[in-house]
Amino acid sequence: DMSVILNKRKNEIEKNIANFNIELSKINYLLEENNMNNVIIFDFLDREHLFEVLKSCDAFITLSKQDIYGHTTAEAMANGLPVISSNQVVSSLNLIKNGINGYIVNLDNEQEILDAIDCVKNTMSQAAIDTANENTIEKMAEAHKEIFSRIIK
């Protein structure tokens, strides 16, 4: 559970910016229960505001249980953010080079997630930008083609 993991680092993290895919009442309950008053929750942000928010962060964490090819990893990297992602986010599997521009973690391994949070560095920012610059529309289309080919087989 992400709230438990973030709670273990709440004194070390200045601000958590989150968009959870669960009911707001459940989020507020978890935050109050864990005394996590450094969390800001956004619902939907237009492109301009999204990039403003991303630029105010040190890292981007996406611990999704399922994501065919989310563009959030590339967007975060384009804004210079190292990414910590679950091994279920296909775009992250294609973009993240462990220890260079972020970390791929197993959702079932809380310690691995905590270690990735501890190890993410500002020095990864340029590598994240470089990766985003190499991630062209053509490469994304090719990745989609490969995914669909595997599904069809």
Side-chain angles (χ1 to χ4, degrees), residues 61 70 103 124:
I61 302 173
Y103 294 94
M124 294 178 165

Side-chain angles (χ1 to χ4, degrees), residues 10 12 29 82:
K10 72 180 180 184
E12 301 162 28
Y29 173 79

